């Protein structure tokens, strides 16, 4: 359901588990849940986008979901580039997930043309 879509609900549909590196799809649901819990505890002060500056989701998880919905529900849909990285041991919050969301815009426009989504996973020794 696109109007209520959340981060993590579309991954196994768009990219079948057989195509995930080193069988990583079998860990997806557990890790997705951990990320959502971590991000739900992190307050957010960032607006959704330049064209929706008054929309400020309460948590980083809410912001992530709002960005994903914006990509899927826009006309035309907004492409998304996703990158998964891991915290360094020396990072201040190395024990929890972090999300970095950066919209790209056409010059002179407030309408996004691309979402760069980086999920930073906890450091594990």
């Amino acid at each position: 359901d696109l109007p209520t879509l959340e981060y993590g609900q579309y991954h196994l549909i768009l990219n079948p588990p057989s195509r995930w590196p080193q069988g990583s799809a079998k860990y997806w649901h557990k890790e997705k849940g951990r990320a959502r819990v971590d991000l739900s505890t992190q307050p957010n002060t960032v607006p959704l986008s330049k064209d929706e500056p008054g929309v400020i989701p309460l948590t980083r998880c809410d912001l992530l979901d709002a960005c994903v919905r914006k990509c899927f529900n826009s006309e035309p849909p907004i492409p998304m580039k996703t990158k998964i990285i891991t915290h360094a041991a020396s990072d201040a919050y190395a024990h929890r997930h972090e999300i970095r969301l950066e919209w790209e815009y056409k010059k002179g426009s407030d309408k996004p043309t691309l979402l760069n989504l980086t999920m930073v996973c906890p450091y594990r020794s």
Side-chain angles (χ1 to χ4, degrees), residues 17-98:
S18 62
R19 296 183 59 208
W20 288 47
Q22 300 147 354
S24 57
K26 66 182 175 182
Y27 304 106
W28 173 243
H29 287 294
K30 183 189 279 187
E31 288 305 315
K32 173 190 69 170
R34 287 181 182 159
R36 294 188 64 79
V37 167
D38 278 353
L39 296 170
S40 292
T41 65
Q42 299 171 28
N44 175 61
T45 58
V46 177
L48 175 57
S49 58
K50 284 183 185 178
D51 65 334
E52 296 187 73
V55 176
I56 303 173
L58 294 176
T59 69
R60 297 297 287 171
C61 190
D62 294 336
L63 177 63
L64 174 59
D65 289 340
C67 287
V68 165
R69 281 192 291 275
K70 185 172 185 75
C71 287
F72 278 90
N73 292 312
S74 290
E75 194 53 51
I78 301 168
M80 181 186 328
K81 284 186 183 177
T82 303
K83 185 163 112 178
I84 311 292
I85 61 174
T86 302
H87 275 293
S90 60
D91 288 352
Y93 296 101
H95 64 285
R96 68 181 192 186
H97 288 84
E98 176 189 346

Side-chain angles (χ1 to χ4, degrees), residues 101-121:
L101 302 157
E102 298 173 6
W103 293 106
E104 290 185 15
Y105 301 87
K106 281 187 181 175
K107 188 175 182 177
S109 174
D110 286 346
K111 188 167 173 71
T113 57
L114 177 71
L115 175 63
N116 290 297
L117 185 162
T118 302
M119 175 66 72
V120 187
C121 297

